[in-house]
Amino acid sequence: MRLRIAIATLLLVSAAAHVSARPAARPAVSPRTACDLLTKSEVAAVQGEAYAKTSLTNTGAKSQCFYELPSFVNSVSLDILRDDAATYWRRNFGEEREENEEAEREGKGKEAGPKVIRGIGREAFWTGNRTGSLYVFNGRAVLRISVGGPGTEAEKIARSKKLAANALRRM
């Protein structure tokens, strides 16, 4: 009888150990926030210094991160809009795309409004001037990035594209 109890106990302990050794079901992965998309070294490579701290604001479908640099003027702002990104893009940039395509067909550049930026995302536009923002649509989300500090509009576009490429890889 004692042998049967010992064997039964051994089997129960063994079964319990087997169940607890099994990996737990994976929790659903929550979408990354805007502050998860850039590293200190990536920001430093583009802006010349790493960020000192980040400030995250999440409002509904939008996540915004302010990457504060020691030289405050060099700070970076990054927003992500995930929900209904295609509608947002069409509403804000659909007409711009058509006007830019028409200007290209006619062999003249479009002088006002957002500029088409090639080589990043599915589509991208630069708005504003040297203090502007790069908007990138990747099919699932819209990313907006703005870099501070000195530089021409072309230099800021190039720096924004580098940071946007890093952020898009993590989305």
Side-chain angles (χ1 to χ4, degrees):
M1 180 73 154
R2 284 186 178 169
L3 183 58
R4 283 187 189 167
I5 292 174
I7 292 172
T9 304
L10 184 60
L11 288 173
L12 285 174
V13 170
S14 175
H18 177 72
V19 169
S20 66
R22 250 188 285 166
R26 287 184 170 214
V29 177
S30 62
R32 291 182 175 270
T33 69
C35 288
D36 296 327
L37 298 181
L38 296 175
T39 66
K40 285 187 174 197
S41 62
E42 290 165 346
V43 172
V46 171
Q47 291 295 88
E49 57 186 341
Y51 57 83
K53 70 177 187 173
T54 59
S55 300
L56 177 66
T57 305
N58 282 320
T59 53
K62 184 179 176 183
S63 179
Q64 179 182 43
C65 187
F66 184 73
Y67 297 86
E68 186 177 324
L69 277 65
S71 301
F72 190 82
V73 71
N74 292 334
S75 297
V76 174
S77 178
L78 186 144
D79 300 6
I80 307 166
L81 174 67
R82 286 192 174 89
D83 292 351
D84 215 10
T87 301
Y88 172 89
W89 192 261
R90 221 175 11 261
R91 187 174 59 240
N92 289 281
F93 296 107
E95 187 176 306
E96 296 298 331
R97 180 182 349 99
E98 292 169 11
E99 289 177 15
N100 279 298
E101 288 170 355
E102 183 179 326
E104 282 182 16
R105 278 193 304 274
E106 294 174 2
K108 52 186 173 180
K110 188 170 175 263
E111 295 182 21
K115 296 178 182 178
V116 173
I117 304 299
R118 304 211 185 282
I120 187 86
R122 183 184 286 177
E123 287 186 275
F125 288 95
W126 176 262
T127 62
N129 49 29
R130 120 181 156 77
T131 58
S133 295
L134 176 65
Y135 288 82
V136 181
F137 181 54
N138 74 351
R140 297 179 326 262
V142 175
L143 180 138
R144 184 199 67 84
I145 191 157
S146 180
V147 297
T152 65
E153 181 181 47
E155 291 168 337
K156 288 204 172 188
I157 290 170
R159 293 191 342 240
S160 295
K161 280 178 71 173
K162 286 179 184 175
L163 290 175
N166 290 323
L168 287 171
R169 278 195 294 278
R170 292 189 180 94
M171 288 179 63

